[in-house]
Every structure is written in structure tokens, then in C-alpha cells.
Amino acid sequence: MDRLNIVLFFGGCSSEYGVSLQSAAAVMEGVDRRRWQLIPVGITRQGAWFYYPGDAQGVRQDRWLGEGCVPALLSPHRGRGELMLESGGLSRLRVDAAFPVLHGRNGEDGSIQGLIQMAGIPLAGCGVLSSALCMDKDRAHRMAAQWGVPSSLGMVVTGNTPLDRARRFANQVGYPLFVKPVKAGSSYGITQVEEPEGLEDAIALALEYDREAILEQKVPGVEVGCAVVGKAELLTGEVDQVELTQGFFDFEEKYTLKTSAIRVPAPIAPDKAAQIKQTAKTLYRALDCSGFARVDMFLTPQGQVLFNEVNTIPGFTPHSRFPGMLRAAGYSFAQVLDMILEQAVSGT
């Protein structure tokens, strides 16, 4: 049987460029090459597209852009399903599906999803609406509440919001609290504010990553997550739990686990794990997700499950939670990639 051509997008002009390289390298090494022919397309930090004919190690070490790379673009003609390569003349490669492994702005917020869908190319992962919604922490929380899943108390601020308003909210919910960009990932721009003196600088940092920042009450308890795969029929991985010895689960901890650990399955009662899985499915549907996503929640000491966020393109690195949760449920990384790509090409 002929292998299907899958355009794998990696890199991107966002602060999460480096994370994308690690995830894409893992996909390149983990995919079943007997079924899928990957066509890697790297996007530079400046937004230029290049077909990359090399191996995963070149991507992992960020030395992919060089000899052999050819400028590339998707044909905008709906139904053609082509990647156009500018090599001397103009050559074309058939595209059966596109798999963006891009984290953060321009890759996880609906931007490239819109381009892929407008070109009529099957998309592996969440579409435009769900990508945009899940990237926006404030609007995602509002939608989740309509489906009966509460979140921590929060307040959105911009560069024009009087600092006194932010201080009043902070005093209301108490310290410590979190200040985050409304639309960012991998914990970029997030600060755990311990006392009032740090609030202004934390807001300024968050606004470097987005035009809006959100102040959130710190929830007592633990962070838990659930991997979800599918569209009509949903499959979940085992629930995991983030164990911290200090601070919070910031960028460094997410990708090195220096002082933290991920326990999967989470050390919680079976009925509570079942509730978390069901809540993850509810949130997945509420936010119109499809393909795959990682749903993050908090479990309070009283047993309440609160929504945190949905990552529509979670990390695929060796330390990443998404493949770890599915591995604990009995699915290899290659099997997970098969499920994601099969759904894309079949449209079911």
C-alpha cells in the first residue's frame, strides 16, 4: 500500500520555536514509516517556510535550515492538496494531510489551521475555532463555565487597566496568585506573585507576550491532566499528576523536570480519576476540540475539579505529559500518531 504524504510543520515565529523542534523531532522518530511519508516543513523564527529533507537530529539541534532546504508553500487552490517547492522551477508534492506540531502563537491559535483548512487539506488536530478558543484562557474559562465546569477566580487586564483595579482584585483573592498572558503557552510570561510589591512587574512581563494578561487565584491542591484523542468517539489516557517540590510548573520544569515529577497514573481514587476523565471529555467537546488535546485541571483538597486550560498541540518531547498519559493506558507513541493521522485522512 502506498504511504500517505503528511506535511509536518515545525518551528514557527513564536516564543515556543525551540519546544516545537523537540516535539517535531520526536514525531519524526516515532511515526510508522511503513504507513506515513513525512514531508517536514520548517518555519523560521521570521516566518519563512522551507522543505527540510534531513533527519530528526538536525531538527532537534536546530541545524535544520541549510543545504538541501527549499522554499515551500501550500497551494491555496482548494482541492488540489499540494505543497509547492521553489527549486529551480516549481515542483509539487501531493499532500494527504497536514500535521502542525507548532506551539504557541501562529501555530496553536488557529492561524495555520485556517490556512490548512482553506486549502482543503485534511488537518491533524483541532480546527480554527477550538484552537483559537483554547489559546485564550479567559474565553475558554467562560465557555467551560457554560458547560458546568468551574475555574479559579480571574480578572483580565490590559496595558490601559488602572493598576489600582488589579490590586483590588489581588487583595480580594489573596496572595500568592498567578499572572499570565491570556494567549501564550509553555508557561512563558507567567509569574507566581507572592506579595503586592511584585504585581506590577508581573503584569508588565505577561503583557510582553500578549495584549491581555489574566490574574488568577492560586488554587489549593494539585494539577492533574488527561490526554484525549478522537472526534465522535473519545479515547483518554490515564490521569497524571504534577508533583512540585518548589515554585510552580514553569517552562524549565515542564521540559527538564529538575525538581518536579509527573506521576501517571495519578495517585488518586479510581472514582476521582473517572470523574477527571469525564470532565476532560466535557471540556474537549465544549471547546469544539478534535484530533487530540491535553486537558489540564486542578484537584482541590475537597475533591473539586477545576478547569485550568486545554493544550491543542501538547508537547511530544520525551518529558511531555500527553504521550506519557497514553503510554500508561497501553498505547505506544507510534499507535497514538497512527490514531491522530488516521482520523485526519479519514475525516472521522
Side-chain angles (χ1 to χ4, degrees):
M1 183 176 67
D2 290 340
R3 292 183 295 174
L4 297 180
N5 287 346
I6 309 297
V7 174
L8 177 72
F9 288 104
F10 66 88
C13 44
S14 84
S15 56
E16 296 174 69
Y17 170 90
V19 180
S20 172
L21 299 188
Q22 304 309 308
S23 290
V27 170
M28 293 172 71
E29 291 172 338
V31 75
D32 185 351
R33 297 281 182 166
R34 296 169 300 178
R35 301 191 61 193
W36 315 106
Q37 175 65 50
L38 293 186
I39 304 172
V41 173
I43 302 175
T44 68
R45 294 180 187 273
Q46 294 73 37
W49 290 25
F50 293 93
Y51 164 65
Y52 167 69
D55 61 13
Q57 197 64 5
V59 174
R60 181 175 287 111
Q61 296 177 356
D62 195 13
R63 52 177 177 79
W64 63 272
L65 183 57
E67 186 176 353
C69 285
V70 177
L73 67 155
L74 285 180
S75 169
H77 291 279
R78 187 171 184 84
R80 283 190 180 176
E82 294 176 335
L83 182 76
M84 299 187 292
L85 307 181
E86 300 176 15
S87 178
L90 191 64
S91 59
R92 293 176 168 85
L93 296 176
R94 186 191 81 250
V95 176
D96 296 300
F99 187 10
V101 182
L102 299 163
H103 306 302
R105 188 179 297 276
N106 299 312
E108 200 173 354
D109 59 4
S111 299
I112 196 165
Q113 289 79 10
L115 179 60
I116 293 166
Q117 291 185 314
M118 188 170 66
I121 294 172
L123 170 67
C126 291
V128 176
L129 175 61
S130 54
S131 298
L133 267 177
C134 292
M135 193 70 175
D136 190 310
K137 296 177 178 66
D138 176 50
R139 289 164 180 82
H141 286 187
R142 293 172 187 264
M143 183 64 73
Q146 293 184 21
W147 281 62
V149 183
S151 307
S152 60
L153 294 175
M155 173 189 175
V156 174
V157 300
T158 68
N160 296 323
T161 302
L163 186 59
D164 284 348
R165 284 186 57 198
R167 285 175 172 156
R168 285 196 297 271
F169 174 82
N171 290 334
Q172 173 191 342
V173 300
Y175 291 89
L177 56 80
F178 287 105
V179 178
K180 309 175 181 180
V182 168
K183 295 180 285 293
S186 293
S187 295
Y188 279 107
I190 296 181
T191 306
Q192 179 173 297
V193 183
E194 301 290 343
E195 53 190 19
E197 290 73 20
L199 184 62
E200 185 174 7
D201 287 345
I203 292 173
L205 175 63
L207 291 176
E208 291 180 12
Y209 291 88
D210 188 42
R211 64 181 180 82
E212 295 178 312
I214 185 168
L215 282 61
E216 285 187 355
Q217 177 187 31
K218 184 177 181 180
V219 176
V222 295
E223 182 175 341
V224 294
C226 186
V228 184
V229 178
K231 189 173 183 180
E233 297 294 327
L234 300 184
L235 168 75
T236 63
E238 292 298 328
V239 174
D240 78 355
Q241 178 177 315
V242 179
E243 288 193 344
L244 298 172
T245 58
Q246 62 187 34
F248 69 100
F249 205 43
D250 60 10
F251 176 84
E252 183 175 17
E253 285 300 327
K254 283 184 176 180
Y255 298 105
T256 66
L257 299 178
K258 285 185 177 179
T259 64
S260 59
I262 306 297
R263 296 189 65 180
V264 55
I268 56 179
D271 62 334
K272 188 55 64 175
Q275 179 189 352
I276 290 169
K277 290 178 183 180
Q278 186 56 52
T279 303
K281 289 181 179 181
T282 297
L283 290 164
Y284 189 90
R285 291 193 171 102
L287 295 165
D288 197 39
C289 296
S290 61
F292 63 99
R294 192 190 78 229
V295 183
D296 295 342
M297 294 154 280
F298 295 111
L299 178 62
T300 72
Q302 295 75 34
Q304 185 180 23
V305 178
L306 299 177
F307 175 46
N308 181 19
E309 64 181 357
V310 173
N311 287 270
T312 55
I313 306 181
F316 290 129
T317 73
H319 294 296
S320 294
R321 299 167 63 192
F322 178 84
M325 287 185 272
L326 287 160
R327 186 167 54 247
Y331 299 94
S332 70
F333 191 34
Q335 288 175 315
V336 172
L337 294 174
D338 278 347
M339 288 188 284
I340 290 170
L341 295 174
E342 283 171 359
Q343 180 182 297
V345 297
S346 68
T348 60

